[in-house]
Each structure stands twice: as C-alpha cells, then as structure tokens.
Amino acid sequence: MSSLLIQIFGFMLVTFLLGLLLGWLVWRYGSSANQSPETEIEFWRSNLEQCRFKLSNEQNKVEVLREEKANLKRRLEAFGK
C-alpha cells in the first residue's frame, strides 16, 4: 500500500515539474515576448488603418442604401397618388 502511494506521489511530482517547465517555456519564449514595442505599435497601426478602411467602405454602402430607400419611398408615394 505504501509503495503505491509513493508511486502516485512520484508521478504527481514529475507531472508538476513538467507543467512548471512547460509553463515557464511558454511564458519566456511566447510570441509577444519576442516583439519589440515598435513592432507591436506598427501592428496596431496597420490594424487601425484596416479598420478605418472597412469603416469607410461600410459608410459608403450605408449612404447608397439610404439613397435607394429615398428613391423607393418617392416612387411608392408617387404610385399611391
């Protein structure tokens, strides 16, 4: 019985140490740790520019749809009179 407990404790200790080592490696050599602040700033600036471009496109689409809505509304009113 005691040998079984010692084996379980040994396996738990090995698992804990492997998890500790793996966690340290991920923390130490993760992707964000290798980037300089300038690289990260450039990434966020390009991301911001892409978002602004998409926003501009969507605003143009909304404007076109508003014009179509106004035209359809005028046609409907003219048809109803």
Side-chain angles (χ1 to χ4, degrees):
M1 180 73 174
S2 64
S3 66
L4 183 61
L5 289 176
I6 292 172
Q7 282 181 342
I8 291 173
F9 179 73
F11 287 134
M12 287 175 57
L13 182 62
V14 168
T15 304
F16 171 75
L17 292 175
L18 284 175
L20 193 64
L21 176 67
L22 190 63
W24 178 79
L25 288 172
V26 168
W27 176 77
R28 175 72 172 96
Y29 299 108
S31 63
S32 64
N34 293 334
Q35 293 182 354
S36 68
E38 292 82 15
T39 306
E40 198 166 333
I41 289 171
E42 187 58 36
F43 167 77
W44 289 111
R45 280 188 182 152
S46 67
N47 196 4
L48 179 62
E49 288 302 316
Q50 289 175 0
C51 289
R52 285 180 178 160
F53 179 74
K54 288 179 182 179
L55 175 64
S56 175
N57 285 342
E58 294 302 317
Q59 286 174 336
N60 291 339
K61 288 178 185 177
V62 167
E63 196 59 40
V64 168
L65 290 173
R66 283 184 181 153
E67 290 173 9
E68 287 181 14
K69 177 184 170 186
N71 289 337
L72 289 173
K73 191 173 183 180
R74 273 183 268 167
R75 287 176 57 197
L76 183 62
E77 288 172 356
F79 182 74
K81 290 184 178 180

